[in-house]
Amino acid sequence: MTVKRLIIALALAGTAAGTLAGCGGDDKKDAAKGPEVAWATKVCGAVDQSAARVALPSTSSDPKQYRRNVVTFLGDVSTRLKSMEASLQSAGSPPVSGGQGSVDQALAKLRTTRASVEQARARLAKVQITDQRSLQREMQKLSKVMVTSATYRGPKEDLRANPALTKAFDNADNCKTAPAKP
């Protein structure tokens, strides 16, 4: 995986949960559809607030500056993932069979992804960069550590593994899936 593809994949991972939420909905209308739809509405609204786009790091011909930009970017991705985790936790247990198990799995993947991003950020922040070659070498090492995080698709996929939650998300007005934008 090239450095540019890795960074773009991380940007998408950092905002992947945003595809859970669309343009907003009518909470009262969704509540009338049942408690599971009301829960989905709450999750989509909370996750949407956490899932604003993360700006890709600015390129720079100075390898030290570019490293700082990537370190900042990875910190931003980690912060967004932590915010998504808190939002999902605050929603409580979904009122469907197996719902808490689905939430627990989504939280575990969020935590694993965030830990991987944080590990990479900390490593890159400490490493000495002297020129383009040393930067490229470190970014290649980083890409090996980040493979799992770069392919993470967000809690949407984890929660939709439960058919009852899929149905709830499909019926919640603010959870209409919008196509992801790179």
Side-chain angles (χ1 to χ4, degrees), residues 59-69 129 132 135:
T59 57
S60 175
S61 58
D62 176 3
K64 292 178 184 178
Q65 180 60 50
Y66 186 66
R67 180 205 40 195
R68 284 191 293 270
N69 295 348
I129 301 296
Q132 289 291 340
L135 175 65

Side-chain angles (χ1 to χ4, degrees), residues 153-182:
R153 298 195 46 165
K156 172 189 168 186
E157 298 302 316
D158 303 324
L159 294 170
R160 284 187 173 270
N162 180 318
L165 289 177
T166 296
K167 185 176 178 181
F169 287 130
D170 289 347
N171 286 305
D173 289 340
N174 74 334
C175 295
K176 303 297 182 196
T177 303
K181 296 178 184 175

Side-chain angles (χ1 to χ4, degrees), residues 136-147:
Q136 185 65 29
R137 186 173 45 251
E138 289 305 318
M139 294 302 285
Q140 286 174 347
K141 290 178 186 176
L142 178 74
S143 70
K144 291 176 185 173
V145 172
M146 298 300 301
V147 168

